[in-house]
Amino acid sequence: MRILGIETSCDETAAAVVEDGRRVRSSVVSSQVKLHAPYGGVVPELASRAHVELINPVVDEALMEAGILDVGELDAVAACYGPGLAGALLVGVSAAKALALSTGLPYIQVNHLEAHLYAGWLEEPDLEPPLAVLIVSGGHTLLVVMEGHGRYRMIDRLAAEGDRAAIAFPRPMLDEGYDFSFSGLKTAVVNHVRKHPGVATPDVAASFQEAVVDVLTAKLVAAADESGAPTLVLGGGVAANSRLRDRVAAAAEASGRRVFLPPLALCTDNGAMIAAAAWWRLQADGPTPLDAGIAPSLALPTII
Ligand code: ZN
């Protein structure tokens, strides 16, 4: 089954064709990073307009790379419907629905966070739940235990073990369950630099990174401990960070667990992860009605 997956939730216009939720036939990602760089962050209105301009060429290229001459040769069309920027989501969802309507193909709406989880199957088709998964990106940080397909458990207790190394910066939220917030850490960095104007920038960066990686790794291992998941998985753009990869790999080895660290192209936002999740969703729920909308504040559907 060949599914076209479309992703436009933030500043990447992406489309891909994936077979049976596992084999990537094509994956095209057009980034808007340069467009938003002068503003220091993604400007929603600019993102929407760029998606409108890019969506057709990106979809065409994905179809061409996959050797598909006519959209009708596909088996389904999927798009990310949330979470994300409303105007940006509307572009991808509208494009997918238009293709579905004009061809009679099923439309499948996909949760962006669930898609990040399913990116793992594109590289490791034999991945078996339960998995303790840490998704870290600029837009979202999510720690979840995937007990089975479509079954996600948030864990609400954590036996915090405290800091392991005496590094200057605090480890925010380490004692507060499985939520993440690094605003306290950012304040600590600002205060430190103000008090020590001569401090070496690489030292600040390294210490900041170490504090963040400490918290992320400790919580991932704690979630695996509590749920009994034998496999640790990383995802999201920040999963490209070499220190985070090293520490999670070391933590897996130390605790006798398997670890899966996907390649960068599968960690950042892409259409292939949408198509992969869509394949599983189509089997579980069937097609999505064409009058379904977008959900900018969508969360991962959890069982607890
Ligand atoms: Zn993402």
Side-chain angles (χ1 to χ4, degrees), residues 7 9-10 12 83 112-113 115-116 135-140 235-237 267-270 273:
E7 157 63 40
S9 65
C10 189
E12 253 112 28
H112 183 89
L113 302 171
H116 269 302
I135 304 292
V136 204
S137 77
H140 26 255
C267 291
T268 48
D269 290 351
N270 63 83
M273 69 181 195

Side-chain angles (χ1 to χ4, degrees), residues 3 18 21-22 115 118-119 121-122 271-281:
I3 297 181
V18 175
R22 289 179 169 90
Y118 274 94
W121 272 267
L122 296 170
M273 69 181 195
I274 302 296
W279 186 74
W280 296 94
R281 272 291 154 205

Side-chain angles (χ1 to χ4, degrees), residues 156-279:
D156 53 16
R157 278 187 311 108
L158 170 64
E161 289 165 31
D163 291 354
R164 274 173 235 174
I167 299 177
F169 296 133
R171 268 63 178 156
M173 310 294 286
L174 199 57
D175 301 322
E176 295 174 37
Y178 292 91
D179 292 328
F180 296 100
S181 168
F182 292 103
S183 55
L185 177 59
K186 284 189 262 182
T187 306
V189 171
V190 170
N191 290 341
H192 186 87
V193 172
R194 279 196 186 130
K195 263 188 228 154
H196 310 89
V199 67
T201 304
D203 287 347
V204 175
S207 299
F208 175 79
Q209 173 179 268
E210 198 64 15
V212 173
V213 167
D214 261 4
V215 174
L216 295 176
T217 308
K219 292 197 182 199
L220 176 61
V221 171
D225 280 346
E226 193 169 316
S227 65
T231 308
L232 305 181
V233 181
L234 269 188
V238 180
N241 181 282
S242 56
R243 184 67 181 147
L244 179 61
R245 293 175 89 90
D246 288 350
R247 289 285 303 277
V248 168
E253 199 183 327
S255 61
R257 289 190 171 87
R258 287 182 63 202
V259 64
F260 177 58
L261 307 171
L264 177 61
L266 293 179
C267 291
T268 48
D269 290 351
N270 63 83
M273 69 181 195
I274 302 296
W279 186 74

Side-chain angles (χ1 to χ4, degrees), residues 78-82 108-112 114-115 273-274 277-278 281 298:
C80 166
Y81 76 113
I108 310 156
Q109 65 178 18
V110 172
N111 181 317
H112 183 89
E114 183 169 59
M273 69 181 195
I274 302 296
R281 272 291 154 205
L298 189 65

